[in-house]
């Protein structure tokens, strides 16, 4: 006999293993490349008119050349440089230029004649100020929220208005007129950095992008259809102060939409991670390299990532519609000295800049923003090349449609199969027609039904158990080795699933195993989709979009697999074919194993000679039982090896040689007519799109949260999330895994063992993935006592060891307690090196350093003679070499006012509900003397105790009159004391000034010591608004 060629796509071990593994490998590699590698910038440094990437890179190097927080001298230098840079750009690109360095309200007649000739107007805003508040955190008691805080801020924003073709020549901002009805677009970035970071990506890339955007849209022939407002705000890092100050400028009334540029990492791709609606998202869709997922916005809203951007102000206070575009990883470099030009590149600049220009072109060319509120959106990219955008309502409609149509379709197909007598699933036996005395033929249609849930539960339990094990033993390993954690999870799931799937298939082989697996997946995913649809409708959360498509692919694969049954003979014909009447009385005692079937005699693994088959059949005459060794010669390569079997004589007569050869060992005999290639179509449907969607979500989620543990987040969350995403990634291969050869699962077992050992024993931090800790120093200016504190993770000895490694801690106790300001972290404090943020008398004069501290801050407090408020005081304070101070009160104040502040804005509450226990003050000038008037309500503590005493007296248990009189005397005394206290109640508090400039190594020796002597795996960030706080107490 001439040997047959094997089928390269048959449902046999080798094709299944090779094809599915290659598809998984190709998709995962493509996803990793997209996630890690940034698209290269064009070789031409001027790829777009007016854009020069070489200039942008040089600008970034200057901006990130030093720390420049709002409260630093270098911040003023950066601002002056930006004004000069913008002036040079506009002087080159425009013939007429309106440039105002001081104000926008005076000398309007002079400037109007210039502005009407200019395509761009620059506002150096040094007059806008804003007062706002923040609600306190929810109290642990039943008393509601804790008291919040208030902020007064003086802005120094730089605003450039680029006139659009439809805007006209009117200078509406000069005389308080309303802007054009159609409005325009705002693009924003902040030019301040934190006091411990150079601000290359946070937000230097955003700043240089805006400079190039100004240059592009003022280049001849590229004027926008509607006007563009570029905002370089100052003070974002402290409380989103700059964006709030912009709300007080007349130009803030012009935009209808916005694009916010941010950074929370160092280099990489800029992700569009938040959007207000579908319409504005479609503008970003036009980007050449879109990188976005709506799930990131849901994660941000959940509070897992403990930071905020100006997006909050623009949407909630200005009522704008827009997008948030930001760098997001690695978070370990965020707000540290690694956020510098060295750790980013021109490719990252180009990725943000090109996306910004295309988005602005889309927003400025449409009427988005004039249509009222937009619609909730769903968006995601595919390999960073194309982007899908549609409405959440569409996703909900698709979800509901699938929930209804999918099960009905499968039920209808099942009904048709039943009608044509081909519904072999859930069928045990079939009676032989006309054979009343014959026993029913066993179909074994239930075989394999319970195998899949066992495999799924055991494999999932394995990765979840590993997640808890790592959390218990080495919880921070994901911080530096997220891919090692992923390798461990993936390899564990595959090996466990393969082992149990093959074992169960060996014991109970079934041709319906794949179909039953898909039916189980369909049922489980249907329940999940119900929950997703509820969340879509009620919470307007679109992050479950990938689960909707996941279910759709499972449905299609299940539909195809169920439709395969139409290829089978009717059950009645099959029963008649193998009945004793057809094969003679001599075969009437045939084994019931004929219904269990034979394995496929297809030579897909090897080319067999006829004489080999005869020898093989002789060796395999005995049927496998549950006691049969798994290492039998006929199964030396896999638990599911294809071969021929010499069945009983009845089988030989029941099926001809061609049919017998197509039955898989141990499976039902009727399965000979099932197609052997449709598994590939099912696998492609089930795997390709779900792997792409889930893989992108997995990589984005991992990069976003794996280093948030330093912020105090749950250590279990990254591992449980990785386990859940591992299950979703590998479920597509689970219906086919019982056909795998042993090679890949065995290799993955070794991978699992190696990565498990590494993840349990390896040190969790490294020089490239440094543990972030938070520094601050507090000085009592009256006693000279200063305390240095480091805030960090409280699990493990890391923070204490870091503090002990510093020379100044030698020989003194280090106190470590739970942090009251950063949940989930602890604070270690000690007596630190004296700061030198304010010049003090030199040691030659013999003056101890702590005596010089008293001059750093002056504060005076006195009651006012107010006739409208009983409890009112004027607090005057000023600090040297600073422009940031604050007042902290033991009891909340109900109202306050700052001398020189503007009118109150109804959009901002000056004092939150429950009052303010803190007032933060930010000045645009140095060493400003503050005059703050505060008011506070009467405290009813004594009144409460008095009324309580009165209530007690009314039901006094004492029968004696003398005791009653004595009690009444005490009550009268309490009431009188309460009246006196109402007439004159005091207020205790502290005046504090902040110093945030660390550019001089000698200014804050304690911080410099941490930078120099802390281990190489430690990164330092600021803990509060200031690096050093000097305080004095006061009493009204």
């Amino acid at each position: 006999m001439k040997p047959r060629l094997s089928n390269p796509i048959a449902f046999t071990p080798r094709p299944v293993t090779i094809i599915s593994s290659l598809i998984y490998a190709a998709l995962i590699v493509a996803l990793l490349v997209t996630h890690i590698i940034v698209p290269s910038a064009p070789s031409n440094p001027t790829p777009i008119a007016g854009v020069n990437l070489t200039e942008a890179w040089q600008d970034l190097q200057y901006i990130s050349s030093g720390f420049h927080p709002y409260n630093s001298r270098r911040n003023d230098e950066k601002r002056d440089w930006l004004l000069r840079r913008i002036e040079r750009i506009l002087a080159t690109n425009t013939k007429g230029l309106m440039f105002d360095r001081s104000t926008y309200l005076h000398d309007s007649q002079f400037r109007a004649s210039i502005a009407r000739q200019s395509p761009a107007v620059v506002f150096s805003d040094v007059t806008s100020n804003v007062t706002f508040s923040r609600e306190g955190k929810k109290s642990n008691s039943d008393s509601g929220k804790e008291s919040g805080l208030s902020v007064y801020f003086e802005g120094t924003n730089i605003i450039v208005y680029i006139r659009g073709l439809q805007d006209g020549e009117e200078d509406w901002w000069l005389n308080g007129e309303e802007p054009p009805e159609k409005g325009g677009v705002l693009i924003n970035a902040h030019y301040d950095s934190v006091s411990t970071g150079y601000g290359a990506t946070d937000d230097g890339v955003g700043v240089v992008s805006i400079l190039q955007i100004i240059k592009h849209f003022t280049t001849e022939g590229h004027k926008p259809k509607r006007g563009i407002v570029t905002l370089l705000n100052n003070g974002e890092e402290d409380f989103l102060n700059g964006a709030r100050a912009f709300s007080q400028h007349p130009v803030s009334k012009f935009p209808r939409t916005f694009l916010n540029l941010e950074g929370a990492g160092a280099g990489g791709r800029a992700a569009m991670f938040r959007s207000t609606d579908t319409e504005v998202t479609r503008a970003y869709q036009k980007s050449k390299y879109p990188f976005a997922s709506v799930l990131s916005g849901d994660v941000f809203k959940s509070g897992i990532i403990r930071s905020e951007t100006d997006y909050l102000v623009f949407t909630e206070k200005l009522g704008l519609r827009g997008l948030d575009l930001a760098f997001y990883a690695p978070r370990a470099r965020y707000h540290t000295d690694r956020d510098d030009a060295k750790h980013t590149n021109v490719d990252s600049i180009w990725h943000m800049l090109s996306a910004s220009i295309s988005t602005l072109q889309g927003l400025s060319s449409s009427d988005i923003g004039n249509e009222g509120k937009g619609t909730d959106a769903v968006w995601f990219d595919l390999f960073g090349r194309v982007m899908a955008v549609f409405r959440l309502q569409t996703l909900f409609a698709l979800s509901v449609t699938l929930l209804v149509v999918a099960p009905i379709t499968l039920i209808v197909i099942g009904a048709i199969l039943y009608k044509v007598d081909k519904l072999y699933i859930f069928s045990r036996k079939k009676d032989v027609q006309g054979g009343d005395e014959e026993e029913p033929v066993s179909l074994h249609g239930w075989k394999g039904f319970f195998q899949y849930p066992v495999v799924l539960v055991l494999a999932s339990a394995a990765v979840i158990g590993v997640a808890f094990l790592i959390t218990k033993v080495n919880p921070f390993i994901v911080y530096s080795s997220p891919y090692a954690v992923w390798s461990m999870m993936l390899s564990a799931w595959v090996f466990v699933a393969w082992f149990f799937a093959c074992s169960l298939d060996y014991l109970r082989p079934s041709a319906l195993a794949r179909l039953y697996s898909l039916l189980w997946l369909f049922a489980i995913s249907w329940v999940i989709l119900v929950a997703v649809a509820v969340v879509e409708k009620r919470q307007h959360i679109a992050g479950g979009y990938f689960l909707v498509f996941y279910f759709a692919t499972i449905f299609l694969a299940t539909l195809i697999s169920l439709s395969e049954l139409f290829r089978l003979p009717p059950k009645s014909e099959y029963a008649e074919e193998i009945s004793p009447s057809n094969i003679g009385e001599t075969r009437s005692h045939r084994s019931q194993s004929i219904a269990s079937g034979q394995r496929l005699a297809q030579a897909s693994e090897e080319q067999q000679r006829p004489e080999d088959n005869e020898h093989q059949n002789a060796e395999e005459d005995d049927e496998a039982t549950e006691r049969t060794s798994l290492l039998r010669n006929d199964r030396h390569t896999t638990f599911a090896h294809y071969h021929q079997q010499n069945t009983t004589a009845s089988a030989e007569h029941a099926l001809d040689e061609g049919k017998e050869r197509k039955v898989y060992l141990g499976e039902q005999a009727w399965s000979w007519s099932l197609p052997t290639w449709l598994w590939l179509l099912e696998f492609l449907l089930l795997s390709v799109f779900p792997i792409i969607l889930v893989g992108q979500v997995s990589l984005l989620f991992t990069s976003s949260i794996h280093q948030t543990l330093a912020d105090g987040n749950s250590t279990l969350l990254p591992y449980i999330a990785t386990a859940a995403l591992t299950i979703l990634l590998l479920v597509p291969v689970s219906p086919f895994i019982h056909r795998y050869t042993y090679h890949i699962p065995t290799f993955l077992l070794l991978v699992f063992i190696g990565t498990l050992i590494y993840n349990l024993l390896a040190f969790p931090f490294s020089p490239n993935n440094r543990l972030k800790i938070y520094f601050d120093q507090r000085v009592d200016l009256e006693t000279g006592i200063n305390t240095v504190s480091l805030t960090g993770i409280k699990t493990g000895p890391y923070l204490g060891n870091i503090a002990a490694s510093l020379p100044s801690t030698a020989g003194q106790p280090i106190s470590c307690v739970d942090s009251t300001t950063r949940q989930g972290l602890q604070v270690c404090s000690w007596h630190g090196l004296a700061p030198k943020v304010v010049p003090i008398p030199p040691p030659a004069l013999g003056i101890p350093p702590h005596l010089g501290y008293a001059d750093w801050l002056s504060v005076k407090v006195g009651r006012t003679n107010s006739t409208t408020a009983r409890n009112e005081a004027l607090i005057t304070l000023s600090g040297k070499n600073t422009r940031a101070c604050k007042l902290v009160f033991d009891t909340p104040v109900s109202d306050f006012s700052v001398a020189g502040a503007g009118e109150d804005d109804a959009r901002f509450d000056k004092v939150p509900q429950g009052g303010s226990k803190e007032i933060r003050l930010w000045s645009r000038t140095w060493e400003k003397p503050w005059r703050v008037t505060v008011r506070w309500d009467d405290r009813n503590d004594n009144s409460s105790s008095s009324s309580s005493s009165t209530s007690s007296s009314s039901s006094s248990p004492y029968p004696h009159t003398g005791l009653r009189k004595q009690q009444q005397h005490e009550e009268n005394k309490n009431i009188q004391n309460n009246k006196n206290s109402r007439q004159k109640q005091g207020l205790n508090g502290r005046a504090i000034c902040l110093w945030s400039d660390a550019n001089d190594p000698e200014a804050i020796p304690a911080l410099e010591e941490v930078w120099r002597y802390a281990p190489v795996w430690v990164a330092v960030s600021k803990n509060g608004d200031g690096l050093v706080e000097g305080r004095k107490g006061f009493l009204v």
Side-chain angles (χ1 to χ4, degrees), residues 218-480:
T218 56
T219 299
E220 186 176 356
H222 294 276
K223 193 173 184 179
K225 182 178 179 180
R226 299 190 322 177
I228 295 176
V229 174
T230 66
L231 170 63
L232 297 174
N233 84 70
N234 193 14
E236 187 272 352
E237 295 292 1
D238 299 307
F239 230 69
L240 311 181
N241 294 335
R244 289 185 168 95
F246 172 70
S247 69
Q248 307 303 300
H249 194 283
V251 175
S252 67
K253 300 177 183 179
F254 175 70
R256 299 290 185 271
T257 56
F258 73 90
L259 174 63
N260 183 52
L261 306 183
E262 255 293 357
R269 291 179 184 243
M272 196 281 287
F273 70 100
R274 274 198 294 188
S275 172
T276 56
D277 54 78
T278 310
E279 292 73 25
V280 296
T281 309
R282 288 196 173 116
Y284 175 79
Q285 188 180 18
K286 301 176 183 178
S287 302
K288 186 176 182 180
Y289 304 108
F291 192 67
S293 173
V294 67
L295 181 64
S296 58
D298 295 333
V299 171
F300 208 88
K301 286 189 293 186
S302 69
I304 294 176
I305 301 175
R306 300 184 185 181
S307 57
E308 195 46 88
T309 73
D310 291 326
Y311 177 98
L312 178 71
V313 178
F314 298 144
T315 55
E316 294 188 1
K317 301 304 179 182
L318 274 67
L320 305 181
R321 298 163 56 184
L323 313 165
D324 227 343
L325 184 64
F327 299 100
Y328 65 98
R331 194 168 175 83
R333 295 174 183 169
Y334 175 57
H335 284 182
T336 73
D337 57 353
R338 292 284 179 89
D339 183 13
D340 54 8
K342 180 181 178 180
H343 292 91
T344 188
N345 51 48
V346 177
D347 296 339
S348 294
I349 295 177
W350 173 243
H351 192 260
M352 173 172 276
L353 175 58
S354 60
S356 300
I357 291 176
S358 60
T359 303
L360 288 175
Q361 288 172 340
L363 292 175
S364 64
S365 300
S366 66
D367 291 329
I368 299 174
N370 297 305
E371 306 164 350
K373 186 179 180 181
T375 57
D376 294 326
V378 182
W379 71 86
F380 55 88
D381 75 279
L382 297 175
F383 295 111
R385 292 290 180 174
V386 296
M387 184 172 175
V389 181
F390 50 92
R391 296 181 178 183
L392 178 59
Q393 184 179 359
T394 303
L395 183 68
F396 177 71
L398 177 61
S399 302
V400 174
T401 301
L402 287 171
L403 287 172
V404 175
V405 172
I408 291 177
T409 302
L410 295 183
I411 291 172
V412 170
I413 296 296
I416 296 174
L417 286 168
Y418 180 81
K419 185 72 174 178
V420 298
D421 199 26
K422 295 185 178 183
L423 189 64
Y424 281 79
I425 57 174
F426 312 124
S427 297
R428 295 182 182 276
K429 299 179 180 180
K430 183 65 179 179
D431 293 329
V432 180
Q433 294 181 358
D436 296 338
E437 297 180 358
E438 295 188 30
E439 296 181 2
V441 175
S442 296
L443 301 178
H444 296 283
W446 279 90
K447 285 181 65 176
F449 177 74
F450 295 104
Q451 291 179 7
Y452 186 76
V454 173
V455 171
L456 183 63
V457 168
L458 291 176
S460 301
V463 294
I464 293 174
V466 169
F468 279 95
L469 175 64
I470 298 297
T471 304
K472 184 71 174 178
V473 177
N474 195 9
F476 299 105
I477 188 62
V478 72
Y479 194 93
S480 61

Side-chain angles (χ1 to χ4, degrees), residues 578-861:
I578 66 170
S579 65
S581 61
N582 287 342
I583 62 175
E585 289 293 327
T586 57
R587 305 301 183 189
S588 59
H589 298 290
R590 69 191 187 283
S591 172
Q592 287 297 321
S593 64
I594 187 65
S596 302
Q598 302 86 18
R599 293 270 180 169
L600 179 63
Q602 180 179 354
S604 59
E605 292 276 327
E606 304 172 358
Q607 294 182 350
Q608 295 185 343
R609 296 188 301 274
E611 55 268 31
D612 294 336
N613 291 339
E614 182 179 356
H615 176 70
Q616 183 177 354
N617 291 340
E619 290 182 339
E620 297 170 359
D621 189 54
D622 295 332
E623 184 179 5
T625 67
E626 56 191 20
R627 294 188 178 183
T628 304
S629 171
L630 296 180
L631 299 177
R632 286 174 55 182
N633 291 335
D634 59 334
R635 298 174 183 270
H636 65 280
T637 59
T638 173
F639 289 127
H641 185 64
Y642 280 99
H643 62 88
Q644 283 187 319
Q645 180 184 16
N646 184 28
T647 61
T648 61
S650 60
E652 295 174 0
H653 287 268
L655 297 175
D656 59 33
E657 183 180 356
K659 293 179 181 180
E660 180 185 354
R661 202 182 285 137
K662 295 180 181 180
V663 178
Y664 192 54
L665 174 63
E667 293 184 349
Q668 297 88 335
W670 43 257
S671 64
W672 67 268
S673 61
L674 288 174
T676 61
W677 60 272
L678 277 178
W679 75 272
L680 181 57
L681 178 58
E682 296 165 13
F683 178 76
L684 291 174
L685 283 172
L686 198 60
S687 62
V688 176
F689 201 45
I691 291 173
I692 293 173
L693 294 183
V694 178
Q696 289 184 158
V697 167
S698 300
L699 291 171
L700 183 63
F701 189 79
T702 300
S703 298
S704 299
I705 72 165
H706 78 103
Q707 291 181 336
T708 61
L709 302 182
D711 300 331
N713 286 344
S714 167
T715 54
L716 180 61
L717 175 63
Y719 300 103
I720 287 295
T722 303
L725 292 169
T726 294
I727 296 170
L728 290 175
L729 274 173
L730 295 176
V731 155
V733 78
S734 57
F736 316 92
I737 202 168
H738 63 288
R739 289 290 194 267
Y740 262 45
T741 63
Y742 71 91
H743 304 86
I744 290 179
T746 303
F747 170 74
L748 292 179
L749 174 62
L750 299 178
V751 171
F752 168 70
I753 294 172
T755 53
L756 177 64
I757 294 173
Y758 173 84
N759 290 328
L760 289 174
L761 301 180
F763 189 73
F765 312 109
S766 68
N768 289 327
N769 298 276
R770 301 182 300 168
L771 172 63
K772 191 184 298 183
I773 59 175
Y774 304 92
F775 172 91
D776 70 280
Q777 184 171 15
R778 298 184 179 185
V779 181
D780 188 325
L781 300 179
E782 296 172 316
T783 64
I785 298 175
N786 84 83
T787 303
V788 175
S789 299
L790 294 179
T791 302
I793 56 177
K794 61 182 180 181
T795 302
Y798 307 107
L799 187 62
N801 290 344
I802 294 170
S805 68
L806 305 178
S808 65
T809 62
Q812 63 170 307
I814 301 174
S815 173
C816 295
V817 297
D818 288 348
S819 173
T820 58
T821 57
R822 291 182 179 267
Q823 186 178 3
L825 301 180
Q826 67 174 344
V827 183
C828 290
S829 305
W830 65 93
H831 182 73
L833 301 176
K836 302 176 183 177
V837 293
V838 175
I840 59 176
L845 297 179
I847 300 177
H850 71 273
L851 295 182
Y853 291 157
D855 296 332
W856 290 13
L857 166 63
S858 62
V859 57
K860 295 180 180 179
V861 180

Side-chain angles (χ1 to χ4, degrees), residues 1000-1020:
D1000 182 1
E1002 296 182 358
I1004 311 177
L1007 176 61
E1008 189 67 22
E1009 180 188 40
V1010 177
W1011 269 326
R1012 179 175 299 180
Y1013 292 103
V1016 294
W1017 46 268
V1018 172
V1020 183

